[in-house]
Amino acid sequence: MNTKNLVLSSLFAAITAITSQITIPIQPVPITFQVLAVALAGALLGKKYGFISQIVFLLLGAIGIPVFAEFKGGLNIIAGPTGGYLLAYPLAAYITGYFSEKEGIVNISIGMILGLIIIYILGMLQLKFILNLSLQKAFMVGVAPFLILDLIKLIIASFIVNTILKRSNVFQKA
């Protein structure tokens, strides 16, 4: 670990916290821009530091700092209905980073899509168990309303990553 990578990991933990506050408060799962931040963290920092950035984000929230959607924090959020989505962020960033290390926008995009699938699966499963929903109902409540908007976020993330990697060497092989 070097200072640059620690700073970038911290920066993306902060970016994830900021994007969690851009919220459309529908229930039980609010619409936020965290998926965009997680995809960017993995794609720009790589698997290791993308993962670390999201662990830092989760730890900040777990100790009560209001970094989660609607300025919430605490273990109760992680253990609640939407906690599975949050817990998936480090793994999603890792998978995205793994594919981004293979280089090329196609690999990065595949990684982002797989990361989103991981977020959906873990989020939907925790939603199902906490709210005692059927798998179909959990999908309809916790995935279906978000699919199109999240895919648009990933397209935006791909353009951002592509632009940054062409113009900067700060993130290359972070």
Side-chain angles (χ1 to χ4, degrees):
M1 266 191 217
N2 62 38
T3 303
K4 176 185 117 176
N5 293 335
L6 292 174
V7 168
L8 290 172
S9 295
S10 300
L11 175 65
F12 274 91
I15 289 169
T16 306
I18 292 166
T19 58
S20 72
Q21 305 316 320
I22 304 169
T23 305
I24 300 169
I26 63 171
Q27 294 301 322
V29 183
I31 295 172
T32 70
F33 281 81
Q34 290 165 291
V35 166
L36 176 70
V38 173
L40 289 172
L44 292 171
L45 301 181
K47 63 186 180 201
K48 180 178 180 181
Y49 294 104
F51 178 86
I52 289 171
S53 74
Q54 298 310 300
I55 290 292
V56 169
F57 168 75
L58 286 178
L59 290 174
L60 290 171
I63 64 171
I65 297 174
V67 296
F68 301 144
E70 300 170 340
F71 292 102
K72 294 179 182 174
L75 286 174
N76 60 318
I77 302 300
I78 293 171
T82 61
Y85 299 97
L86 298 169
L87 291 171
Y89 291 171
L91 185 55
Y94 183 91
I95 294 298
T96 301
Y98 174 82
F99 279 86
S100 75
E101 289 174 6
K102 296 180 181 293
E103 297 182 7
I105 197 66
V106 172
N107 284 325
I108 292 169
S109 298
I110 289 169
M112 287 180 181
I113 291 167
L114 291 174
L116 181 61
I117 290 169
I118 289 166
I119 292 169
Y120 282 156
I121 290 172
L122 294 179
M124 182 179 67
L125 290 175
Q126 187 159 331
L127 191 66
K128 174 196 180 324
F129 289 113
I130 298 294
L131 298 181
N132 197 28
L133 303 174
S134 70
L135 202 51
Q136 181 181 6
K137 180 69 174 177
F139 177 84
M140 294 308 294
V141 170
V143 175
F146 306 95
L147 274 170
I148 293 173
L149 186 56
D150 283 341
L151 289 174
I152 291 169
K153 291 175 203 171
L154 294 186
I155 291 167
I156 292 168
S158 293
F159 281 116
I160 292 170
V161 168
N162 197 36
T163 301
I164 288 173
L165 292 180
K166 283 182 180 177
R167 296 182 182 175
S168 172
N169 65 359
V170 171
F171 293 103
Q172 294 173 351
K173 304 296 182 197

